[in-house]
Amino acid sequence: MKPTDIPIRLTVNGRPYEGSVHPGLTLLRFIRETLALTGTKEGCGIGECGACVVILDGRPVNACLVLAAEADGCELRTIEGEAREGTLSPLQQAFVDQHAVQCGFCTPGMLMSARALLDREPDPSDEAIRTAMGGNICRCTGYASILGAVKTAAAHSRGGDR
Amino acid sequence: MDQFAYDKPRTMDALKARLSEADPGLAILAGGTDLLTQIRSRLRRPSLVLDLKGVPELRALEIRDGGLSIGAAVIVNRIVEEQAVTSPFAALCQAAAELASYPIRNRATVVGNVSNASPCADSVPPLCVFGARVVLDGPAGCREVPVHEFIVGNRETRLGPGEIVTRIHVPTPGPGAFSGFLKRKRVSGHDLALANAALLCDPTRGLLRLSVGSCTPRPTLLVLDHSLDRPDPDEAAAQAQTMIHPINDVRASVEYRRDMVGLMVRRLFEMLAKARECRH
């Protein structure tokens, strides 16, 4: 017997969403397939690479390990919500400026982890940055440019911008 | 993923009512960081996933009854963040900070880490040295089981039919107590422990306890209370190395694990000695 779909209501990048989801649908597939927001990537599907990191109720989480049904009543932020009206955020611009993007596959997850960090800790230590970003793997850059970009963005955000 | 139903009871009574149906295809969902990977790999094929995060009292992280009460829905990161209540439990805080990765810690729960009963669970050695107990609720009422007796093997616990772990109780250490946790990994980022260990020295309660993880199917607990006044790190390391049954796997060899256990035990005693120095 087919299990009943679960009704969910949440906000996605500030906008309300209402619908119902198959119980087995992960948040990752919901974001990519139901919402057609394909910025969030599937790298491993088991919570080890961080490519699918999104911000749920202010906390960065691996979307592959959350059921869409669990997001009922939550605030969801994806990479699509980072730029404002087509303008890259200072955090995104720092990634561009410091060559922290090569193939780009890890980048949305990296940005979400970094965004959540800067929202909770505007002046993070190097160690805090490494801890926050430690769940995001990159095969291309060797990480130095990514860490540099987050540091630059932190300094920038202390100057007033997000 | 598989065809399973999903339910999220809003009260403890409603949760217990569903549990009392004793559906063999039922899986409890807290953080989901173990369950979802197990469903994905077909290791578990539940017919019903019961989400306990809708029950408010299961989210409580508080001091009560002479200890720290960690509700079943309390995420690992809260142990790190809520230092006002968790700071006396240093070894547990250190373990929490090293578990998996930051985004995982925003979903994974301490109770889930214990209930999943992986031999490399990071919360288990600290909970064992603190003498923590799981608090169970079920058809026969409430009961408490020490963590080191609750886990009986690889992914096996003494959870009975229709029972659920509602919280873990961690007795508060006495004043002047020291505790520490170490974890050996292949990488500095997200990795399971190839070996981990926790030490508690609690002079006012006469306790010197050591627990080593990721080297045996069941939790280990070495009672060294008799040597509390004159701890012997080498003797403790030798005992720890003898009592474990490490395996060869992708993370490490038998020999390396045994070696690392000796190293960690000696380092934990160095940390203890340093803490004592600072106090005097």
Side-chain angles (χ1 to χ4, degrees), chain A residues 50-68:
Chain A
C52 68
V53 169
V54 294
I55 304 175
L56 195 63
D57 284 348
R59 290 190 180 269
V61 299
N62 297 112
C64 65
L65 294 184
V66 180
L67 296 174

Side-chain angles (χ1 to χ4, degrees), chain B residues 157-170:
Chain B
T157 68
R158 284 169 56 187
L159 187 73
E163 273 191 326
I164 186 169
V165 178
T166 54
R167 62 189 186 91
I168 287 174
H169 176 84
V170 193

Side-chain angles (χ1 to χ4, degrees), chain A residues 6-158:
Chain A
I6 308 296
I8 60 171
R9 296 168 82 165
L10 60 153
T11 63
V12 181
N13 298 321
R15 291 208 180 98
Y17 173 88
E18 198 171 331
S20 57
V21 293
H22 176 75
L25 186 70
T26 62
L27 183 62
L28 175 59
R29 290 192 62 189
F30 170 73
I31 290 167
R32 289 183 54 81
E33 298 170 21
T34 312
L35 301 180
L37 296 174
T38 53
T40 307
K41 309 300 183 196
E42 176 169 18
C44 71
I46 54 171
E48 292 188 11
C49 74
C52 68
V53 169
V54 294
I55 304 175
L56 195 63
D57 284 348
R59 290 190 180 269
V61 299
N62 297 112
C64 65
L65 294 184
V66 180
L67 296 174
E70 294 179 86
D72 180 40
C74 292
E75 280 185 32
L76 173 66
R77 287 154 66 195
T78 71
I79 187 62
E80 286 83 0
E82 180 64 16
R84 293 282 159 87
E85 284 154 27
T87 306
L88 297 183
S89 69
L91 174 63
Q92 289 170 306
Q93 192 60 50
F95 268 59
V96 169
D97 295 343
Q98 299 201 25
H99 312 289
V101 183
Q102 290 188 28
C103 82
F105 202 80
C106 76
T107 308
M110 289 284 183
L111 286 166
M112 289 290 93
S113 284
R115 164 55 51 217
L117 169 67
L118 297 180
D119 283 355
R120 70 178 175 271
E121 225 178 310
D123 190 10
S125 63
D126 287 359
E127 199 193 325
I129 296 174
R130 284 174 183 273
T131 299
M133 309 293 292
N136 294 87
I137 297 180
C138 174
R139 193 63 183 87
C140 300
T141 64
Y143 301 105
S145 53
I146 292 173
L147 293 172
V150 177
K151 279 183 83 168
T152 299
H156 193 294
S157 74
R158 284 193 296 285

